[in-house]
Amino acid sequence: MSKPLVDVKNLKMHFDVGGGSYLKAVNDISFHINKGETLGMVGESGCGKSTVGRTMLRLYEPTSGEMIFDDTDIYSLSKKQMKDKRRDIQMIFQDPYASLNPRMTVLDIIGEALDIHNLAANKKERKARVEELLELVGLNAEHANRYAHEFSGGQRQRIGIARALAVKPKFIVCDEPISALDVSIQAQVVNLLKDLQRKFDLTYLFIAHDLAMVKLISDRVAVMYLGEIVEITTSDALYANPLHPYTKALMSAIPIPDPDAEADRDRIVLSGDLPSPINPPSGCTFRTRCPMATEKCAEEKPPLVEVKEGHWASCHYAE
């Protein structure tokens, strides 16, 4: 088997909140993403999904760990070396209303990346490349002279996608790119991302809340809880047979488009609130809300182990 394009090892991102306390947003996680693959990352708000994406790109400097990209640990690179590497790793941000500069035209928003990396010889070539990118994401060339406020949310996110594509990256972190969009637009954006992936052989980390959309776009899915990965496997295996109690609860929340089936099935409702990542529970972090928890769960932290071929879970009772 060939080496993965992205290999994250023992990544930690702890924020100093004062008084000697640290918020453990990402707490010792490891995973890989193969070239041309989409890894979905799901979990409830505050579990650390977006922090993972931002730390992978060094928008946050990690507390510890490695991020091997194309055989290079990007955390060991200098600022100059990191600037060059950013051509290969880009990000699509969550909020298309906040991620586009309102004082810049679309031509300059997308063209800025070309300027930084010296990818256009002159203004004519720069303009032609921006217009090509706009048409690639389903917008018109004449949109280049407009400002962000003149577009809908879905169109703004397409501009954000065009900006990420401008430098011809290999890997893109999609940080909840559809959560701020109307439901009617979400599938269009996901289908666009899939088309672009096939066309340019892109690799994605797709962070989202919407489990149905994650299933639609992802080859494998990682489930996060309180800064840790509790389950990771192929999309089909996760949705057909989740092993971790937290994943089972998430899956039970997906609505079924059949009123009779929806009425008959058992919904798993978790008790309690998400614990504080400043002071997480001992042992298994999910034990305070888990219906299967025992004394062993409080005393021993379950490792992420391969329960079935290619199906990893962090639970003493996953089998």
Side-chain angles (χ1 to χ4, degrees):
M1 186 175 176
S2 60
K3 286 184 179 178
L5 179 69
V6 178
D7 195 2
V8 174
K9 299 179 179 179
N10 306 113
L11 179 63
K12 293 183 181 180
M13 185 65 241
H14 297 174
F15 295 97
D16 188 348
V17 294
S21 298
Y22 290 86
L23 189 152
K24 299 171 183 176
V26 180
N27 199 24
D28 197 13
I29 68 170
S30 300
F31 61 91
H32 70 273
I33 311 174
N34 297 315
K35 183 173 173 56
E37 181 185 41
T38 298
L39 176 69
M41 187 166 280
V42 300
E44 59 196 309
S45 296
C47 71
K49 305 184 300 296
S50 293
T51 304
V52 170
R54 289 169 179 264
T55 308
M56 288 173 70
L57 270 65
R58 281 183 70 177
L59 299 181
Y60 298 143
E61 289 296 332
T63 303
S64 63
E66 296 179 334
M67 158 66 177
I68 311 298
F69 175 80
D70 239 357
D71 295 327
T72 302
D73 181 6
I74 70 164
Y75 296 152
S76 67
L77 301 179
S78 66
K79 287 187 177 180
K80 170 65 171 65
Q81 292 170 320
M82 192 62 210
K83 179 187 172 184
D84 296 335
K85 186 60 71 175
R86 287 197 191 281
R87 276 198 61 183
D88 292 330
I89 50 177
Q90 287 291 304
M91 189 167 197
I92 299 168
F93 293 93
Q94 177 177 357
D95 187 355
Y97 294 89
S99 61
L100 303 180
N101 191 327
R103 294 182 177 86
M104 295 170 68
T105 63
V106 171
L107 176 64
D108 289 333
I109 288 171
I110 299 173
E112 185 177 29
L114 303 176
D115 299 339
I116 290 169
H117 294 282
N118 300 313
L119 298 178
N122 50 54
K123 287 186 177 180
K124 183 179 178 181
E125 185 178 316
R126 177 184 189 256
K127 185 172 184 288
R129 174 62 177 154
V130 171
E131 290 176 349
E132 177 191 343
L133 286 161
L134 287 173
E135 291 178 353
L136 192 65
V137 298
L139 297 174
N140 298 324
E142 56 263 28
H143 287 153
N145 295 317
R146 297 186 185 179
Y147 290 86
H149 71 268
E150 299 179 64
F151 297 92
S152 67
Q155 289 174 319
R156 293 186 198 200
Q157 197 59 290
R158 288 173 188 266
I159 295 167
I161 293 169
R163 177 175 58 185
L165 291 174
V167 292
K168 299 181 179 178
K170 297 177 183 178
F171 173 56
I172 300 179
V173 173
C174 306
D175 182 16
E176 301 196 42
I178 59 172
S179 64
L181 306 179
D182 292 343
V183 174
S184 59
I185 305 300
Q186 291 180 357
Q188 294 178 20
V189 172
V190 168
N191 287 330
L192 172 63
L193 290 171
K194 291 173 70 175
D195 291 341
L196 292 170
Q197 183 175 40
R198 285 191 291 267
K199 189 168 186 176
F200 298 110
D201 196 23
L202 295 169
T203 303
Y204 292 146
L205 173 66
F206 189 84
I207 300 166
H209 281 103
D210 191 326
L211 294 162
M213 285 298 178
V214 169
K215 184 180 182 182
L216 179 64
I217 195 173
S218 303
D219 299 295
R220 289 185 302 127
V221 180
V223 180
M224 282 195 72
Y225 182 81
L226 210 65
E228 300 174 359
I229 290 178
V230 296
E231 187 165 358
I232 184 167
T233 185
T234 64
S235 178
D236 289 342
L238 189 81
Y239 284 78
N241 183 30
L243 298 178
H244 196 280
Y246 178 61
T247 312
K248 292 177 181 178
L250 285 182
M251 295 301 165
S252 79
I254 302 176
I256 299 173
D258 180 339
D260 294 331
E262 181 71 24
D264 291 341
R265 73 170 178 160
D266 294 326
R267 174 81 195 278
I268 302 172
V269 180
L270 298 177
S271 61
D273 296 321
L274 188 72
S276 169
I278 298 174
N279 186 27
S282 62
C284 175
T285 53
F286 184 59
R287 68 175 176 81
T288 57
R289 303 171 73 191
C290 181
M292 298 169 56
T294 65
E295 287 186 12
K296 181 180 181 180
C297 301
E299 296 166 359
E300 296 178 30
K301 187 178 184 65
L304 188 66
V305 296
E306 192 171 16
V307 181
K308 299 179 180 178
E309 186 178 357
H311 197 151
W312 300 71
S314 173
C315 177
H316 294 303
Y317 306 107
E319 297 183 66

